Amino acid sequence: MTTKILIIGACGQIGTELTTKLRSIYGNDNVIASDIRKLNNDIVNNGIFEVVNALDYNQIEHLIEQYQITDVYLMAALLSATAEKNPAFAWDLNMNSLFHVLNLAKAKKIKKIFWPSSIAVFGPTTPRENTPQFTIMEPTTVYGISKQTGERWCEYYHHQYGVDVRSVRYPGLISWTTEPGGGTTDYAVDIYHKALEDEKFECFLSEETKLPMMYMDDAIRATVEIMQADADDVKIRSSYNLAGISFTPDEIANEIKNTFQNSPYLTNQTSVKKLQTVGQHR
């Protein structure tokens, strides 16, 4: 059976690069990108694109039937920083969009689901070094709470109904091709833009707050590989830990200053000295 993929939230930070990768593997005609609005970008212009509301069960079901979808990648979500501004909507979007695809899989409309979790499921009581797969989870953000709850529902639907749902816990993702999407770790991308724009950068994290990060290409590879794995090899149906590197805002600011000191891309060489982080605890 031909793999036919629907990506919900294809125009987001991860969805953009994931769509490009999946189209290169499965072909443009077999990867249907969708999002809440139609943008003028490569994702829309270089393949099949549909406007869909992730909260509308009937719209999703219609696309699945229209294109004979086998696999759904649910990338639509309100991320950490943005979710704190509108907790009720964040909960609605992050949870009910997941229920829609889980219930469609339960009804045998689709075969496989990829749903991303996040390091946001962890909290201040979680071990910070070599974080275990199974450990204390006491998230302190709306986004983290929704992801922790989503993990439990994924595992429940697998055990109760046999739904083939797969997930990884993304760390902060660093990409040069797409804009940040409102996550806590997005400062690690935005700080480079500010450096090139000759601006001072203010980070809402303290200088010494160390968070896990990963290059986007590695995260996309992990996503593709877990979906291509045999079902019997996927032992964890909540979400797998995924790790790369960790660094602080202070460390990345110093590296930028050192690297860009003689860069031809900066019109004012002395301006790099202004680049700093200002800790603002939330």
Side-chain angles (χ1 to χ4, degrees), residues 190-229:
D190 196 30
I191 193 171
Y192 284 98
H193 291 283
K194 293 297 188 293
L196 292 172
E197 292 167 5
D198 190 22
E199 293 184 14
K200 177 179 177 180
F201 181 77
E202 293 188 2
C203 180
F204 58 83
L205 297 172
S206 68
E207 291 95 329
E208 299 305 319
T209 300
K210 182 175 287 189
L211 293 176
M213 301 285 181
M214 176 173 284
Y215 185 47
M216 181 68 80
D217 287 3
D218 294 327
I220 298 301
R221 179 169 59 86
T223 303
V224 172
E225 286 181 358
I226 196 171
M227 284 295 278
Q228 290 181 337

Side-chain angles (χ1 to χ4, degrees), residues 227-269:
M227 284 295 278
Q228 290 181 337
D230 291 338
D232 290 342
D233 293 333
V234 183
K235 306 299 183 184
I236 295 172
R237 296 299 182 146
S238 52
S239 194
Y240 282 93
N241 277 355
L242 188 63
I245 60 174
S246 297
F247 51 78
T248 67
D250 189 54
E251 288 172 334
I252 196 171
N254 286 330
E255 286 299 321
I256 289 174
K257 286 190 286 186
N258 292 336
T259 302
F260 286 176
Q261 202 59 250
N262 298 310
S263 171
Y265 297 105
L266 293 176
T267 56
N268 181 358
Q269 299 299 332

Side-chain angles (χ1 to χ4, degrees), residues 57-256:
Y57 179 94
N58 292 328
Q59 281 187 6
I60 298 171
E61 183 182 37
H62 173 72
L63 288 183
I64 287 170
E65 293 175 348
Q66 178 182 352
Y67 291 103
Q68 298 181 308
I69 298 297
T70 60
D71 299 1
V72 171
Y73 291 70
L74 177 58
M75 311 307 294
L78 217 58
L79 303 183
S80 295
T82 310
E84 293 303 310
K85 299 175 184 177
N86 196 341
F89 177 67
W91 179 261
D92 186 22
L93 175 61
N94 294 358
M95 294 310 307
N96 285 318
S97 61
L98 174 59
F99 275 127
H100 290 340
V101 295
L102 288 173
N103 284 324
L104 285 163
K106 176 187 173 184
K108 309 301 182 186
K109 303 267 186 180
I110 51 179
K111 291 178 61 179
K112 282 192 293 187
I113 297 168
F114 177 81
W115 173 81
S117 189
S118 164
I119 58 169
V121 298
F122 304 125
T125 55
T126 302
R128 294 177 179 270
E129 299 293 332
N130 298 316
T131 304
Q133 173 65 43
F134 302 104
T135 187
I136 298 170
M137 291 173 150
E138 294 181 326
T140 57
T141 64
V142 176
Y143 180 65
I145 293 167
S146 70
K147 287 298 183 181
Q148 183 193 33
T149 306
E151 286 190 15
R152 304 271 59 79
W153 279 115
C154 287
E155 190 171 59
Y156 179 85
Y157 268 73
H158 174 72
H159 289 311
Q160 293 295 322
Y161 309 119
V163 170
D164 188 353
V165 57
R166 306 170 184 208
S167 178
V168 294
R169 293 172 182 144
Y170 287 133
L173 298 180
I174 299 174
S175 170
W176 62 273
T177 61
T178 54
E179 293 291 327
T184 301
T185 54
D186 283 346
Y187 84 86
V189 176
D190 196 30
I191 193 171
Y192 284 98
H193 291 283
K194 293 297 188 293
L196 292 172
E197 292 167 5
D198 190 22
E199 293 184 14
K200 177 179 177 180
F201 181 77
E202 293 188 2
C203 180
F204 58 83
L205 297 172
S206 68
E207 291 95 329
E208 299 305 319
T209 300
K210 182 175 287 189
L211 293 176
M213 301 285 181
M214 176 173 284
Y215 185 47
M216 181 68 80
D217 287 3
D218 294 327
I220 298 301
R221 179 169 59 86
T223 303
V224 172
E225 286 181 358
I226 196 171
M227 284 295 278
Q228 290 181 337
D230 291 338
D232 290 342
D233 293 333
V234 183
K235 306 299 183 184
I236 295 172
R237 296 299 182 146
S238 52
S239 194
Y240 282 93
N241 277 355
L242 188 63
I245 60 174
S246 297
F247 51 78
T248 67
D250 189 54
E251 288 172 334
I252 196 171
N254 286 330
E255 286 299 321
I256 289 174

